[in-house]
Structure formats: C-alpha cells, structure tokens
Amino acid sequence: MSAGTTFLQDRFERKARTINALLIRELMARFGHRNIGFLWQVLEPLLLTLGVMISWSTVYGERNHGVRVIPLVLTGYTFITVWRHMNSRFLHAFRHGSGLLFHRQVRPADILVARGLLESVGTLIAFFVAYLPLRLLDVIEPVDDYLLLLSGWSLLCLFSFGVAMILSALAHFSDAFERVIQPIMYLILPLTGAFYMVYWLPPSARQIVMWSPLVNASEMFRAGYFGAEVPTTWNWPYLAIWTIAVNAVGWLLVLKAQRHIELE
Amino acid sequence: MALPRRGGLFQWMSRHYALTVFVAVFIFPTLLASIYFGLVASDCYVSETQFVVRSAQKSSAEGAAAYLQDIGINRANDDAYAVQDYIISRDAMHAISATIDLRKVWSPAGADFISRYGAGPFNNDNDEMLYRHYKSRVKVEKNLETGITTVRVTAYRASDAHAVAMKIVQLSEAKVNAMNNRARADRLAAARREAASAALQLSQANVALTRYRDSAGLVLPEATAEADVRQKSMLEAERTRIDAELAGMVARAPGNPAIPALRRRLGALNREIAAQSAKLTGNGDALSGKVSGYEQQLVERELTEKLYEAAIKQLDTAIDEANRQQIFIEQITDPNLPDTPVEPRRLRYMFTVALLSFWAFLSIYLLLSGGREHLNMS
C-alpha cells in the first residue's frame, strides 16, 4: 500500500518536474532572455486587445446593441486568443519538439501539456493586466461573478486543449491536413461567439449557434463578466461533455502519434 | 545568490518558491474563505421584486399609421434608467431611513463581523458609509432584452428585507408620479403661456382697430365710402341732365331767361362734384387712404385671431396629451417575504475563491518562474 503510494507520488513528482521544465524551456525558447523576454507572452494578446478596443470604441461608441464595447472586446479577444494560439501552437508541436525527445523522461504529450498551460495562463494574465487598470480608471464595470467567469475560462481552455490535441495528432499523420486547417480555423471564427452576443441574433440563428460548444463557453465567460445586465444563454453540461469527448479523442490520437514517433 | 541572509526561512522559501506560492496564493485564501463562509458568515434573507416602467405614448403619425400605433404602450427606456438610478441614490436611502432604521437593519446583534454595517476598524458611522453599504445591499438590475427591472434587498432578518423592498417599491412609484406631475405641469404651463400671449395680441389688435376708427372719425369707412360714391354719381347724373337741358335751351331759344339760372346751377354742381372727388380720392384726408389703412388693420386682426385659435387648440391637445403621456410602473412581482436565507451562497463562494486563487496561483507561478529564469536564478 505505502509502496504504491510512494510510487505514484514519485511518478507524479517526476511528471510535474518535467512539465515545469518544459514550460520554462518553452518560455525561453519563444521569447529568449533579451529585453522583456517572456513578458511578451502577456504583451502580445494585450496589444491586440487594446488595439481592437480602441478601434471598436471609435466605430460603435460606448455601447453596441446595449452592451458596453470595451468589456465586450476584452472578453472576446481574450477568448479568441487562447483558442487560436493553442491550436496554432500545437500544430507543429511534435516536429518542433522532436529534439527534446532524446530525454528519456520527455514524451510528446508533455510538450503539449506545457504549451497548453502556458497559453491558458499567459492569456489570462493578459486579461487581468488589461482589466485592472481599466477597472481602476473606472472605464469598465467590475466582474460580476468570478465563478462563472473562471469556470467558463477553464472549460474553454480544456476544450481548446482537446481540440488542439486532435489537430496536432492529425497534422502529424497528414501533411495535407496541416495545410487546410488554417483556413478552416479562420472560417469557423463566427462559431466561436467571440464577436457577438447570442441574444443579438434572431431566435432561429440562436438555436444553430448554441450547438457550438465555443459559443456556450463564450456566453458563460461573458455571463460571468456582465452578470444579469446582459442576457446570456449557455449550457455547461453540454460544454463539459464536449470537453471530455474532445480530450478523450485527443489523448487517444496523441498517444497513437506518440507511439508512431517513438517507433521512428 | 546575493540575497541578504535572513535566517533559513527566506532561503527555504526561495528554493521552494512553487510550494510557497501555492500555499500563500491558493491554500491560504481558500482555507480562509472556507472558514468564513462555512462557519462565520451570518445568514441573510433576500427579498426580490420586479417591475417594468412603461409609458403610454400618443403617436404623432396620422391616419392608418396612427391607428396602428395609437394602442401601443411602449417601454419607457430612459425613464426605467431614471428609476433605477433613483433607487440607488442617497435620496432614496434617506427617504427609507425616515421610516426604517437602516443602520439597525444591517448591523443587528449577532450579525457576523465582516459583512455587517460598520465592521472593520476604519469604518466610521456616517451617511456616506451607510450609502456605500446600502449599495452593496440593494441591487438593481435591468434586463436589456425584456426591460424588466429587478430589485434585490439583502438583510439579516426576513421581515427587514421585505420592509425595505416594500418601501423601495413605494418610493419608486412616488418618484414616477412626481416625474409625471412635473412633466405635465411643464407642458401645460408652456401651452398656457402661448395661449395667453395669443389672447393678448388679439385684444391689442382689436384696440388698435377701434382706435383707428376713432381717429378717422368713421364707424364703418367702407359704408361711408359707398354712400359718398353713390352721392357723387347722383350729382354727376344731375349734372349730365342739366348740361343737356342747357345745351338744348341755348340752341332753341338763346334769349330764354332761365339760362343764367341753369348756368349757375351747373356751376354749383361742378363745385360739389369736385369737392366730393377730393373727399374720396384726393391726397391728405381722402377716404381712399382711410379705407386702405382700415383694411390693413382688419387683416392684422384676422391674423391674430387665427393665432389665438391655434394656441387654444394647442392647449387642448396639450391637456389631452398630458393626461395620456404618462409613465407608470407596472409591478410584476411584489416583494416576497423570504422564509429561507439564500445568502451567502456558501459553497458557491467557497468555490469562487478556490477557482480564483487557483488561477491566481498559476499566473503568479508562471510570472515568478519566468522572472527567475530570466534573471538566471533557478
């Protein structure tokens, strides 16, 4: 019994150390030691969000369809950033990370976990780095419900992680897939729900977009931000089932790809 | 490492920074929240009420469009925001305080020391602090889609929450009525002012007309002119007749003794006609000038009459509209008297703190690791 516990503990600790090391390596590999280094991880999405915030504010004024524009952009771009970054980062993860596989402890899946963590946490930091000063200057309203906001965010990150795993494995097996996936990702942007609120749509369109798990996540994220002031609809069990499903499929595919790599 | 030696603890913390951050940012706040929400926090009751602010508006469209629109009772959006702002105002708070002691409501004996009013060492008891507390206890939310406004009042006793909510409903209604009366009075006053000034103009025009008649020495200049013209034409006919008679007489019997008499008569007639013409059309005191002046006055009076009529009509519609164009509060649900405390939502708040502090831990950990690696500190 105790031997079993220590064995598990040992494994867990080793895994944590590996992923931690990969996380830091990823940070350094991407941004280097020069100038502000890894803070680019935060600054990149921040710049995008601020830019869009300014341009949308000039186009729509303070409110768009009765929803404040600045928080709308802040939530929307935070949302879209994690989804797009995770997918594009994972696409070449196996090829870029192949050098690491000389280390006996590093498995391809570990690289994905490290990258996923980095994207999720980095983007959330960017969100708060934008949120706090705007809040202190009283430009935006406070977050209404952190539980909803962060649950929506966590589910979004896990869902994106699952989808990104599937994409990375498929990209490993098929070069053609790797080519077509970028335009496809671009085309399904409307299905992410980042640029609109569901209640703006006519009822028939609402039913269609609510099939998209990402729309559920974005509505949940915004429900957490705006509270009852803005009407939102979401179905978290539906989103959770999707998340579990894509993660299960993703893990299977990644394990398969992993074996394929190790055989080479 | 060039860190100052401050015992083993600091070094230990630096070496095990992951664990330190984990405990400080995740375990500690979560534990505190669990203790507070699980054991300390007092139960609170929430009384809720919902209403819509509506306005019955008269449409300005005419014909069929008016018929279609006329029955419409619209949601008064701006007015709903006004009511919402009023509820969360110092005015409303003071008005409630007149009958309910809000300080007692939010700091009764037995309320926990964190959530109650006046908790903490820096909280003085004054109206501004009470207002801050009031804003945290009375929540107003307006749904963008349905326009329904929801008011939630939280208090430690069910009856208190209910009483405050009832009072808020009363006050909102009083406010809406006051707004109506004000708008009505404004609208009516403007229309009445307009009508009064039109009436004044009309009477001035009448006075001017009378004065003109007096100064001209005529009652009805047109009738006078007509009589004068008739007289003049009669005279002219007489002259023509005498002229013909004279010519005939001179031709038949030039020695007739009546001739000089006729000639004198003709001369007199000519003088009379010339005088009559001068009276009618000559310059200076002639009647034609008087008639045109009189007509101008008449037109002016007619104009002011029309203006007066329009102003009276406007006043009528203003009264009509003031009676119709009112905003009113339609109560959807009356404040309930809660039988179970629903606040604080203990488990939910614990989870909130746990989730928030977990993401905070991840963020701080990432920043710290990145920073340490950047400075080559690992």
Side-chain angles (χ1 to χ4, degrees):
Chain A
M1 180 72 200
S2 72
T5 325
T6 47
F7 172 69
L8 268 181
Q9 213 175 351
D10 202 39
R11 252 195 91 162
F12 177 77
E13 258 175 31
R14 245 189 304 149
K15 199 93 269 180
R17 251 206 311 279
T18 312
I19 288 172
N20 190 27
L22 281 170
L23 191 73
I24 294 184
R25 182 195 166 276
E26 191 73 20
L27 268 178
M28 292 307 137
R30 213 182 301 166
F31 306 107
H33 279 273
R34 266 160 297 145
N35 60 54
I36 60 168
F38 76 102
L39 284 180
W40 282 116
Q41 174 71 27
V42 173
L43 224 65
E44 254 176 22
L46 190 65
L47 284 176
L48 178 71
T49 312
L50 287 178
V52 177
M53 231 180 249
I54 291 164
S55 58
W56 275 42
S57 294
T58 45
V59 172
Y60 294 109
E62 199 200 343
R63 282 166 184 271
N64 183 16
H65 289 82
V67 181
R68 286 176 199 283
V69 165
I70 290 179
L72 190 75
V73 173
L74 181 61
T75 50
Y77 273 82
T78 307
F79 188 88
I80 205 77
T81 302
V82 83
W83 164 249
R84 293 202 62 186
H85 274 194
M86 219 184 273
N87 287 323
S88 61
R89 287 282 167 211
F90 277 30
L91 219 46
H92 312 292
F94 288 136
R95 200 183 310 145
H96 290 170
S98 56
L100 289 169
L101 302 178
F102 286 115
H103 301 285
R104 198 166 47 85
Q105 280 164 349
V106 177
R107 315 196 67 194
D110 298 339
I111 301 173
L112 296 186
V113 173
R115 285 193 173 180
L117 256 168
L118 183 62
E119 288 302 336
S120 313
V121 180
T123 316
L124 193 69
I125 296 174
F127 173 78
F128 280 107
V129 167
Y131 169 79
L132 283 176
L134 288 172
R135 178 70 205 114
L136 290 175
L137 293 171
D138 219 15
V139 179
I140 52 177
E141 301 282 300
V143 171
D144 186 78
D145 185 348
Y146 276 101
L147 185 65
L148 264 182
L149 184 94
L150 292 175
S151 307
W153 177 254
S154 307
L155 280 170
L156 166 73
C157 291
L158 286 172
F159 178 78
S160 304
F161 182 71
V163 172
M165 276 198 298
I166 296 176
L167 296 185
S168 68
L170 290 180
H172 174 73
F173 289 120
S174 154
D175 284 340
F177 181 77
E178 202 181 322
R179 298 281 164 240
V180 297
I181 192 61
Q182 289 293 359
I184 290 176
M185 293 306 283
Y186 204 81
L187 287 175
I188 63 166
L189 272 186
L191 285 181
T192 59
F195 306 111
Y196 56 85
M197 304 295 306
V198 169
Y199 89 99
W200 296 353
L201 304 175
S204 53
R206 286 185 207 182
Q207 280 185 339
I208 295 169
V209 296
M210 287 317 287
W211 285 103
S212 160
L214 282 168
V215 171
N216 279 285
S218 85
E219 286 283 299
M220 202 170 159
F221 189 55
R222 280 176 174 151
Y225 191 97
F226 291 112
E229 187 202 350
V230 175
T232 43
T233 38
W234 75 92
N235 180 353
W236 73 263
Y238 177 73
L239 175 58
I241 288 169
W242 262 100
T243 304
I244 293 168
V246 290
N247 274 289
V249 175
W251 271 113
L252 286 177
L253 285 173
V254 164
L255 287 180
K256 203 167 172 218
Q258 200 164 285
R259 266 200 298 282
H260 186 247
I261 293 168
E262 278 162 3
L263 281 176
E264 274 175 354
Chain B
M1 242 190 305
L3 287 165
R5 287 196 165 274
R6 248 190 271 162
L9 183 64
F10 195 82
Q11 275 194 351
W12 186 90
M13 273 168 62
S14 176
R15 209 174 307 128
H16 298 90
Y17 71 97
L19 186 65
T20 310
V21 172
F22 188 70
V23 170
V25 180
F26 175 62
I27 299 282
F28 185 63
T30 308
L31 207 65
L32 273 188
S34 305
I35 291 169
Y36 174 68
F37 288 118
L39 303 171
V40 180
S42 314
D43 284 338
C44 280
Y45 295 82
V46 178
S47 183
E48 192 182 273
T49 175
Q50 289 182 314
F51 59 81
V52 190
V53 178
R54 288 180 187 283
S55 73
Q57 261 169 347
K58 185 189 184 291
S59 64
S60 52
E62 303 245 319
Y67 179 75
L68 289 175
Q69 286 178 13
D70 213 30
I71 0 162
I73 290 183
N74 302 323
R75 287 206 305 264
N77 251 319
D78 304 345
D79 300 317
Y81 281 119
V83 172
Q84 189 177 343
D85 272 13
Y86 171 68
I87 293 173
I88 305 293
S89 70
R90 292 176 180 81
D91 268 11
M93 187 188 79
H94 287 306
I96 297 170
S97 299
T99 51
I100 301 169
D101 187 357
L102 289 176
R103 288 178 169 82
K104 216 168 258 169
V105 166
W106 288 318
S107 58
D112 75 82
F113 63 97
I114 289 178
S115 66
R116 72 183 166 85
Y117 167 68
F122 304 111
N123 274 346
N124 304 316
D125 177 30
N126 51 39
D127 279 356
E128 230 18 62
M129 290 314 272
L130 184 65
Y131 178 57
R132 254 190 232 177
H133 197 79
Y134 176 83
K135 282 197 287 189
S136 73
R137 294 294 191 167
V138 178
K139 293 282 179 202
V140 185
E141 266 162 1
K142 182 168 172 287
N143 189 307
L144 282 177
E145 203 173 18
T146 59
I148 294 172
T149 308
T150 309
V151 182
R152 282 193 194 83
V153 180
T154 312
Y156 294 103
R157 276 194 298 264
S159 56
D160 283 347
H162 182 243
V164 172
M166 284 301 254
K167 189 74 192 168
I168 285 174
V169 168
Q170 267 174 32
L171 285 173
S172 319
E173 254 158 27
K175 187 73 197 170
V176 163
N177 284 339
M179 276 158 72
N180 277 337
N181 288 339
R182 177 80 185 274
R184 188 189 150 95
D186 280 356
R187 217 173 286 140
L188 288 189
R192 284 212 176 100
R193 257 201 312 282
E194 203 80 348
S197 100
L200 187 69
Q201 271 178 13
L202 182 61
S203 77
Q204 273 169 354
N206 271 331
V207 167
L209 193 66
T210 317
R211 200 168 291 151
Y212 186 83
R213 273 186 194 144
D214 284 351
S215 72
L218 303 158
V219 179
L220 291 168
E222 270 177 84
T224 314
E226 218 179 284
D228 284 358
V229 167
R230 210 180 298 130
Q231 205 181 353
K232 191 186 159 202
S233 65
M234 259 161 66
L235 288 173
E236 271 168 352
E238 178 78 2
R239 185 179 65 176
T240 314
R241 200 180 56 78
I242 291 173
D243 222 14
E245 204 182 315
L246 189 69
M249 210 174 272
V250 168
R252 255 186 286 119
N256 198 324
I259 287 175
L262 272 177
R263 283 229 166 95
R264 270 197 305 279
R265 205 158 158 213
L266 195 63
L269 267 174
N270 274 336
R271 271 196 305 281
E272 188 62 27
I273 286 169
Q276 201 66 254
S277 295
K279 198 172 149 196
L280 273 170
T281 58
N283 32 11
D285 209 23
L287 200 59
S288 69
K290 282 182 188 164
V291 169
S292 82
Y294 175 74
E295 261 165 11
Q296 205 179 323
Q297 296 282 331
L298 263 187
V299 167
E300 234 156 73
R301 194 184 65 168
E302 235 162 74
L303 217 66
T304 49
E305 244 167 22
K306 288 244 165 70
L307 276 178
Y308 177 71
E309 265 166 36
I312 290 293
K313 210 170 151 193
Q314 224 165 34
L315 179 61
D316 277 351
T317 42
I319 291 171
D320 211 41
E321 243 169 69
N323 286 338
R324 271 213 272 175
Q325 202 174 71
Q326 291 197 341
I327 51 170
F328 52 92
I329 285 186
E330 197 168 313
Q331 204 71 24
I332 298 170
T333 55
D334 284 327
N336 60 313
L337 183 65
D339 63 348
T340 328
V342 293
E343 287 279 342
R345 294 151 90 180
R346 296 170 196 278
L347 264 181
R348 190 191 170 93
Y349 293 162
M350 280 185 222
F351 273 124
T352 305
V353 173
L355 199 60
L356 187 60
S357 51
F358 184 68
W359 277 103
F361 155 70
L362 283 178
S363 306
I364 291 171
Y365 173 68
L366 186 77
L367 290 175
L368 264 182
S369 313
R372 289 169 67 95
E373 187 66 27
H374 198 68
L375 302 170
N376 287 316
M377 259 178 73
S378 59

